[in-house]
């Protein structure tokens, strides 16, 4: 097992990895930018090294500085967390070639799954249903017209290098196909320096359901059941839960098995998430694989009792998973609310600043993962998430009641947060009866609905 | 004393600060915070400096240190750009521009790049920092006289760590 | 002293600070924070008193008024003992000695026990507080003139809640 | 169900009850002394009333003020928490006669079980094993000599009205019996105004094992398995866990069944704890019943998933328990460490004062129940507990690793706490192999063992 691990990240996920390391008896080494000098991950790590000025591009994204820190701290492995360099195959490669284990899949697996087209072909190869569409990129407009006609309008135009909704366009009818195609191409070129786009069937009112998987180097591939992340605003997840409130057992089995096939076919070692969209008939379509640990991993941890970060470290060290698929049951219901320093009433604009006072919720069934505390200053340089409030109770009704109570108890003075949004969604009829789709918030939410 | 200046005189007037500090010690004040227009004097006693965990969580400790209590660690140090250091007036520190291993000499046999008392200029190489097998020569980027070497040979250093204290010219 | 300056004089005036500090010691103040326009003097002493910290840590949610204004609620009020109230000089409040329902008059028809402007003495009954079916007559336990009735008839009151404001004699 | 409940307590238990009320949609009314005006239970309750000056005897113990508060707030029921008036039958009676449901057993049940002698006879009647000894009080010394000779030395002399070790004496040999008897009598008279004492067999190196029970008014009596509270210092519990690390399944079944018989025989409605001492042969002897919720109830909640406070409220409102005995399984291991404002290095002397800064631990398997936060001032008037750190993991090894991690993460600056003691005990070989008895800490602990 590793003796010392460097965490190439910040905030709550850095804290999360430090916790796993400490429980495993592994020394943790934090890196930080000058903006995070006083941050909790710096205080709680066994050692911390400053890797640059506040801006992410000058610190947490500086591969040479991270590797240099790993060298001077003499670590065995590097955990990338999520975001920053987590899915950067070059960084992954750089770690390994510098003699550090990268806690995640191989650069090859990461690259293949990172490219939507390659991933799609792999899915088809594994009999994992994909959204009908153009197999491969759309070179010219005529081809686009044929494919669109074949799979039927409305069609979705997606950038091959895209993500988070960028370079994505819907063509409702043939006459707007060309203009939307151009728009998507330009957006993709600007955002990713790659104008390659493809077409696919536009699934209306889809649910976002993803399956947590983890594989070791001994041929074990296990799933930890699904997460429903349909509560999204402009493609940004805000609430995640496990299990999905609206998925028949057969559908769940099928989707989890498909996820396992997908990973098993990718010679993949580590934790990952296979994302699907699910339509009203519970037909599901593969979207992409996230080759990293995700923000919402705790809901899967709570319903299974598995510590995913510890398992990540274990399999990266060449050890087998500490459990078998048959050991896992999905126990109770877990819900996570992302607490972001954003003003829900003002278009979710970020609200960095100093937390004048804070009280963290406690009690039965409540887990609060956060690096924030009284006096903490939320820096303006990074994403605005300051904590994750997660509950786990025997039933969904109890979980929702506990989450409302905990949101009420969480007191953060000095900055605005997404708590008011969560109070709204947790009382929304569609959420309560589990019928929210990924466009629901964009359709229904407006500042007026906030108390 | 301040009759000559509407601003209340020179905020950095040592005599006056000494008098205030004497008052603080005498009377066990934990903090004095004076400001007039743009002028401000803020002195705290007893409580830990932002390096200690305690102060980090308490509201007082913003990431940027209060003007009156400078701490080189928290001083913004982009690259090797020398930064003002108040605890020794007239001196500045040359900070590490990167994470790596500090070498005071080109090789074990040869003498140090710079020694205490030596004059340096912007392009004087003051040390080497090795990172990822690359040996980076670090220029002074300031001119003056080295008064202290703050890092040990072959010591691990991180970004912004003070390496040399320099008495600046003029 | 401040005649020369419209800002209230030089805030950095040591003599004045010394006077303030002595005042702080005498009266065991934990903090002094004076400001006028751009001018400000803020002094804190020793460790904070039990009331202040919570208010500091929880500026928004704290039901108590800011530390600068003394809070009758937080003043120890055993029984109906009248307690000093700083926001209106020369006045004190008669606080509730118990939890219960406040009655300003013996019965709905009759006039109030006391009205604004009325003079009261130690044994003047100022109200009734009903608790557990028992009607307790509350004596003034101070003498002076009622300047304000702070509780409404039949309002629920808790321990230490101010009921009347009294202009004390002499 | 109740519309509004008054909580006649303070600190973390007041917060705990407020949480249960909020999740059940019941309004909560807090009472507080002037010392607790800024306390979290006052902030989080729907309404709060000041009932007196700081000293407990002038506020939280003032029955007339509590009842008056219940009247002006127009509540339906009163939850006493633990300590203060929780086991005061007169208060219990006063609540009911004033028209408020008392959330706890009837005054009669409380009185009977509160008297050690009566409780002992009830136990014998229910075939619950008791420590061999004098049936009834010891009137004169001759009787004492006979009984002692019969049950064999060493014998324990206990005050019938006693508790917490007061009025308790051990006579190792016949020659000290008389002197110890006198000493116990005088101590009991001074402490409780009742000099009645009795004799019993002195069980050496006993474990303290207690069973959580709860009964409704529909004839259901359930147990939530046992808690092992053998880690005590001078009869004060410091660490509690469930299940016991050292109890064979048969012994556990027998002890849980005995507890259920004890409660079923007492026409008891509400939550309660039946305490036993267990010797090396796993023979167990009934000690007493605590007719209230206890500090350590969370460990039972975590291994069963049952919210004990909500069930207390439910049964007090005349509803049946929300579960049946058969629904309960003891899942995983839960451990609680009491975080007290005490200096373990200085004879555990209380350390009231201001918490300059505090960081509450989070992460998988961690529950922190506390009313404390940055800026909170621990008042000198009440017991020194400022929080309960509780962990729940699949195995005891994982639970211990998580607890060590969480203790390290819990940062309280400004006052001294029992955290250093917990670091010691969690690394102690006897604790690790589960062989700690109730005298272990008193025998082994000294300030030098602290890092």
């Amino acid at each position: 097992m590793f003796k010392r691990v460097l965490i190439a990240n910040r905030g709550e996920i850095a804290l999360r990895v430090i916790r796993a390391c400490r429980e495993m008896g592994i020394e943790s080494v934090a890196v930080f930018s000058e903006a995070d000098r006083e941050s909790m991950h710096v205080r709680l790590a066994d050692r911390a090294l400053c890797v640059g000025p506040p801006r992410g591009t000058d610190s947490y994204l500086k591969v040479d500085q991270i590797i240099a820190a790993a060298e001077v701290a003499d670590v065995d492995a590097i955990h990338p967390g999520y975001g920053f360099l987590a899915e950067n195959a070059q960084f992954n490669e750089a770690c390994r070639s510098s003699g550090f284990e990268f806690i995640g899949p191989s650069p090859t697996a990461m690259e293949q799954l990172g490219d939507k087209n390659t991933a799609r072909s792999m899915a088809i190869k594994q009999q994992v249903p994909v959204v009908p569409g153009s197999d491969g990129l759309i070179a010219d407009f005529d081809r686009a017209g044929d494919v669109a006609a074949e799979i039927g309008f409305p069609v979705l135009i997606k950038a091959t290098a895209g993500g988070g909704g960028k370079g994505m366009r819907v063509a409702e009818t043939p006459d707007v196909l060309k203009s939307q195609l151009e728009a998507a191409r330009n957006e993709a070129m600007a955002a990713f320096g790659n104008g390659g786009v493809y077409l696919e069937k536009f699934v209306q009112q889809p649910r976002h359901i993803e399956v947590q998987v983890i594989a070791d180097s001994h041929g074990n591939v296990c799933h930890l059941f699904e997460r429903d992340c349909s509560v999204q605003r402009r493609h940004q997840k805000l609430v995640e839960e496990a299990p999905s409130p609206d998925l028949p057992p057969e559908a769940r089995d099928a989707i989890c098995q498909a996820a396992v096939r997908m990973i098993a076919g990718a010679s993949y070692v580590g934790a990952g998430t296979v994302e699907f969209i699910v339509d009203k008939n519970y037909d599901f379509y593969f979207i992409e694989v996230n080759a990293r640990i995700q923000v919402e991993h705790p809901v899967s941890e709570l319903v299974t009792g598995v510590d995913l970060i510890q398992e990540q470290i274990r399999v990266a060290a060449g050890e087998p998973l500490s459990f078998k698929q048959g050991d896992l049951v999905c126990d109770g219901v877990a819900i996570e609310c992302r607490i972001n320093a954003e003003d829900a009433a003002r278009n979710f604009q970020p609200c960095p600043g100093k937390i004048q006072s804070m009280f963290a919720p406690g009690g039965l069934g409540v887990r609060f993962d956060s690096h924030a505390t009284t006096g903490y200053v939320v820096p303006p340089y990074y994403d605005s998430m300051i904590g994750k409030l997660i509950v786990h109770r025997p039933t969904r009704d109890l979980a929702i009641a506990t989450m409302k109570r905990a949101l009420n108890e969480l007191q953060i003075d000095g900055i605005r947060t997404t708590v008011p949004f969560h109070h709204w969604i947790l009382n929304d009829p569609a959420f309560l009866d589990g019928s929210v789709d990924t466009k629901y918030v964009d359709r229904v939410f407006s500042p007026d609905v906030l108390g | 004393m301040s009759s000559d200046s509407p601003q209340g005189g020179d905020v950095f007037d040592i005599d006056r600060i000494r008098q205030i500090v004497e008052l603080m010690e005498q009377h066990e004040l934990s903090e004095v915070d004076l400001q007039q227009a743009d002028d401000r004097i803020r002195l705290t006693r007893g409580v830990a400096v932002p390096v200690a965990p305690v102060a980090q969580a308490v509201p007082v400790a913003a990431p940027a240190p209060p003007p009156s209590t400078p701490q080189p660690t928290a001083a913004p140090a982009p690259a090797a750009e020398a930064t003002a250091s108040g605890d020794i007036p007239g001196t500045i520190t040359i900070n590490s521009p990167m994470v790596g291993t500090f070498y005071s000499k080109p090789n074990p046999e040869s003498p140090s790049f710079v020694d205490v008392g030596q004059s340096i200029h912007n392009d004087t190489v003051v040390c080497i920092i090795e990172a990822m097998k690359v040996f980076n020569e670090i220029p002074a980027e300031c001119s003056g006289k080295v008064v202290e070497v703050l890092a040990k040979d072959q010591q691990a250093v991180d970004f912004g760590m003070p390496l040399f204290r320099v008495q600046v010219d003029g």
Side-chain angles (χ1 to χ4, degrees), chain A, chain B:
Chain A
M1 180 44 67
F2 304 128
K3 186 178 172 305
R4 196 176 299 123
V5 167
L6 179 137
I7 299 135
N9 216 302
R10 63 178 300 281
E12 72 85 20
I13 191 61
L15 210 52
R16 175 69 188 88
V17 178
I18 289 169
R19 286 166 172 156
C21 287
R22 182 149 282 136
E23 293 185 22
M24 295 174 83
I26 297 170
E27 291 173 38
S28 54
V29 177
V31 296
F32 62 94
S33 77
E34 289 178 319
D36 285 336
R37 188 171 293 282
E38 314 295 355
S39 189
M40 202 48 71
H41 79 283
V42 175
R43 286 176 58 185
L44 291 178
D46 293 306
R47 182 177 180 182
L49 292 157
C50 182
V51 290
R55 290 210 337 277
T57 47
D58 299 335
S59 50
Y60 297 106
L61 287 167
K62 263 202 172 302
V63 173
D64 60 344
Q65 290 302 288
I66 304 283
I67 301 283
E71 284 176 343
V72 301
D74 188 24
V75 302
D76 307 308
I78 297 176
H79 195 299
Y82 51 69
F84 291 124
L85 299 167
E87 287 179 290
N88 179 320
Q90 288 69 29
F91 174 65
N92 184 335
E93 186 53 53
C95 291
R96 299 172 190 267
S97 62
S98 307
F100 306 111
E101 196 55 56
F102 177 86
I103 299 176
S106 69
T108 320
M110 188 174 265
E111 243 165 6
Q112 291 178 329
L113 295 170
D115 178 78
K116 288 197 173 47
N117 256 326
T118 320
R120 179 181 165 92
S121 340
M122 292 168 76
I124 292 166
K125 189 149 159 285
Q126 300 297 329
Q127 288 91 46
V128 174
V130 297
V131 181
S134 62
D135 293 325
L137 298 184
I138 291 292
D140 55 75
F141 174 63
D142 296 346
R143 172 93 206 296
D146 301 346
V147 173
E150 177 192 324
I151 63 179
F153 284 87
V155 294
L156 190 63
I157 307 159
K158 287 172 112 179
T160 183
K166 279 212 180 57
M168 216 185 266
R169 281 276 190 287
V170 177
E172 297 282 352
T173 51
D175 55 307
V176 295
L177 181 58
K178 194 178 183 104
S179 57
Q180 293 292 56
L181 200 61
E182 245 93 78
R185 276 221 182 91
N186 301 337
E187 199 173 327
M189 181 56 76
F192 318 105
N194 173 352
V197 299
Y198 60 99
L199 290 192
E200 64 181 35
K201 176 183 179 62
F202 178 56
V203 178
Q204 296 181 59
Q205 302 198 14
R207 299 181 69 91
H208 174 113
I209 291 182
E210 58 186 32
V211 179
Q212 176 69 56
V213 289
I214 185 161
D216 62 24
S217 54
H218 304 263
N220 304 305
V221 182
C222 297
H223 69 81
L224 282 78
F225 307 101
E226 84 283 13
R227 293 185 291 254
D228 193 318
C229 314
S230 301
V231 177
Q232 305 182 356
R233 177 183 172 275
R234 304 191 182 164
H235 301 279
Q236 299 305 312
K237 298 168 183 170
L238 285 163
V239 178
E240 301 101 347
E241 63 183 299
S244 169
D246 171 47
L247 200 62
E250 325 70 64
R252 167 196 280 188
D253 289 350
I255 209 168
C256 290
Q257 290 316 321
V260 168
R261 282 201 305 278
M262 184 71 196
I263 293 302
S267 61
Y268 188 101
V269 172
T273 301
V274 186
E275 297 193 340
F276 300 89
I277 53 174
V278 179
D279 66 20
K280 289 208 184 48
N281 316 321
Y282 304 118
D283 291 327
F284 58 90
Y285 306 97
F286 168 78
I287 298 302
E288 63 175 340
V289 172
N290 295 129
R292 61 167 193 275
I293 195 71
Q294 281 184 299
V295 171
E296 60 270 27
H297 74 276
V299 296
S300 302
E301 290 186 317
L302 292 176
V303 294
T304 60
V306 170
D307 187 317
L308 273 165
I309 307 295
Q310 289 193 30
E311 297 298 331
Q312 270 192 306
I313 295 171
R314 199 167 279 121
V315 299
E319 297 188 3
L321 290 166
S322 73
F323 59 89
K324 299 253 167 292
Q325 186 69 66
D327 304 333
L328 301 183
V329 289
C330 184
D331 170 35
V333 172
I335 303 177
E336 168 179 286
C337 288
R338 298 193 187 193
I339 310 301
N340 301 340
E342 297 171 357
D343 187 348
R346 289 195 181 67
N347 210 22
F348 288 76
Q349 73 183 28
C351 294
K354 182 176 179 181
I355 295 176
Q356 296 298 341
S357 89
M358 175 167 145
F359 181 72
L364 179 62
V366 175
R367 168 179 174 181
F368 186 54
D369 280 19
S370 171
H371 57 294
T373 182
T374 296
Y376 175 69
V377 177
V378 181
Y381 311 101
Y382 319 108
D383 82 80
S384 60
M385 193 174 74
I386 56 170
K388 306 186 299 198
L389 184 52
I390 314 132
V391 299
H392 181 218
R393 300 290 291 125
T395 68
R396 189 167 189 259
D397 287 349
L398 289 172
I400 290 171
T402 300
M403 180 61 87
K404 287 185 193 171
R405 184 271 291 175
L407 282 167
N408 179 284
E409 203 170 298
L410 169 62
Q411 313 209 347
I412 302 178
D413 301 321
I415 60 170
R416 294 184 183 279
T417 72
T418 44
V419 166
F421 169 87
H422 291 304
H423 275 300
W424 168 73
I425 192 73
L426 286 168
N427 287 286
D428 180 84
F431 178 80
L432 295 179
D433 72 18
S435 66
V436 166
D437 65 76
T438 59
K439 303 289 185 305
Y440 182 78
V441 172
D442 294 325
R443 282 198 310 272
V444 175
F445 176 79
S446 78
D448 340 332
V449 304
L450 300 175
Chain B
M1 152 199 297
S2 62
S3 55
D4 54 325
S5 155
Q7 299 306 98
D10 172 19
V11 167
F12 306 104
D13 178 340
I14 299 304
D15 292 341
R16 181 167 62 189
I17 292 174
R18 183 178 293 107
Q19 291 176 61
I20 297 173
V21 172
E22 282 163 358
L23 272 172
M24 292 179 72
E25 281 184 336
Q26 209 174 316
H27 302 281
E28 295 183 10
L29 297 198
S30 60
E31 178 179 356
V32 166
D33 181 352
L34 312 172
Q35 52 187 357
Q36 186 168 60
D38 294 339
D39 294 1
R40 177 185 191 188
I41 294 182
R42 179 170 170 285
L43 305 173
T44 57
R45 245 182 98 252
V47 296
V49 295
V51 180
V54 188
Q56 289 168 355
V58 305
V60 187
S68 61
T69 60
Q71 33 151 188
T73 49
E81 179 185 298
T83 60
S85 167
D87 31 319
I88 303 180
T91 71
I92 61 175
T93 59
I94 300 173
N95 302 331
S96 175
M98 62 182 70
V99 182
T101 307
F102 171 88
Y103 290 97
S104 60
K105 44 186 87 163
N107 61 62
E109 293 67 42
S110 54
S112 301
F113 288 102
V114 293
D115 295 304
V116 171
Q118 180 174 335
S119 291
I120 55 173
H121 307 286
N122 284 335
D123 50 8
T124 310
V125 172
V126 290
C127 64
I128 279 173
I129 292 178
E130 180 265 318
M132 300 180 71
K133 319 282 174 289
V134 179
F135 291 80
N136 309 279
E137 295 192 335
I138 308 302
E141 292 190 5
C142 65
S143 63
K145 183 181 290 177
V146 175
V147 293
E148 190 180 3
V149 181
L150 301 164
K152 280 183 218 60
D153 191 38
Q154 298 187 39
Q155 170 187 345
V157 296
D158 64 353
F159 179 87
M161 175 174 167
L163 306 174
F164 300 90
R165 181 174 303 289
V166 176
Q167 181 81 51
V168 282
D169 292 341

